[in-house]
Amino acid sequence: MGKRAKRIGIFGGTFNPIHIGHLIIATAVLEEKHLDEVLFVPCALPPHKGSGELAPGGDRLRMVELAVSSNPGFRASDIELKRGGRSYSVKTIEELKRRFNRGEEFYFIVGADSLHEISTWKDVERLSGLCDFIIAARSGYPLRGLSAESLSVGKEVFRRLAAGIVETPVIDISSTEIRNRVGEGKCIDYMVPEAVAEYISRKGLYQKYEKKSDAG
Ligand code: ATP
């Protein structure tokens, strides 16, 4: 068999905490796009979110590690946590390209909700030249009828984004919902892997936060 370039998916997120929505999507795109591995990259400080109820980076990373350890195609990366500060994806991809450096192909995985705020990302033109996009479906964020104008991006970036849309299961779960449920003393079984639920409970994460709306 001819040797082909390794295909690596980069799945960045707050992972506060990681949940089955993340895992099901990563599984679907690994299969659909024939990726060799998916790197889960918890951010240090998310560029587009407040950090009010952000669990410590070490805890978020540990939960990702617990969630992915049984899957040989999944790996947790501390690249953004080590770098610290606001986590810009373009920097992460550049750093990963330098580290791997064997002609790998990189795919940047995002949910449809992130797509809607893409015009606010740092250096999106440059990012789109560094890797291909993989866009996963997300409840409440339709992927039909989008245009360069509606996303406020250039035509070429839009073409590259549209080419990355992948049919994935729609899993209506968010980290916000998990945090709210923990804060209310409700059960999160099956919404996160068992080891993650145990970790949250053992460390007392998300228990002291006030209920937040899941709207945004
Ligand atoms: P929060 O509720 O705290 O805003 P979140 O559930 O959106 O968090 P993130 O860690 O911020 O989780 O998401 C990381 C990436 O995963 C983003 O690109 C996001 O769009 C995507 N994502 C998260 N949950 C889902 C889901 N249920 N379906 C599709 N994509 C998702």
Side-chain angles (χ1 to χ4, degrees), residues 11-22 25 43 46 49 53 108-115 121 136-139 168-179 214 216:
F11 195 10
T14 319
F15 299 120
N16 186 35
I18 189 166
H19 53 70
I20 59 157
H22 298 124
I25 278 156
C43 62
K49 292 184 188 180
E53 51 181 23
F108 189 65
I109 304 167
V110 291
D113 55 315
S114 307
L115 185 61
W121 294 7
R138 187 155 195 190
S139 162
T168 52
V170 178
I171 312 292
D172 193 5
I173 289 184
S174 67
S175 301
T176 306
E177 184 183 356
I178 309 279
R179 294 193 300 275
D214 194 17

Side-chain angles (χ1 to χ4, degrees), residues 79-149:
I79 184 169
E80 291 192 351
L81 289 167
K82 279 227 168 105
R83 194 169 68 227
R86 296 233 167 258
S87 297
Y88 294 113
S89 308
V90 66
K91 270 196 168 180
T92 303
I93 305 267
E94 281 174 344
E95 201 174 326
L96 285 170
K97 280 197 140 175
R98 274 197 304 273
R99 277 196 201 178
F100 279 86
N101 196 25
R102 290 186 183 236
E104 291 83 357
E105 290 169 6
F106 288 92
Y107 294 82
F108 189 65
I109 304 167
V110 291
D113 55 315
S114 307
L115 185 61
H116 284 259
E117 49 186 40
I118 196 156
S119 64
T120 66
W121 294 7
K122 192 175 161 64
D123 293 334
V124 67
E125 304 267 344
R126 190 144 62 92
L127 180 65
S128 87
L130 289 171
C131 57
D132 282 344
F133 292 105
I134 295 180
I135 316 289
R138 187 155 195 190
S139 162
Y141 296 90
L143 286 166
R144 281 159 180 256
L146 295 175
S147 62
E149 291 73 30

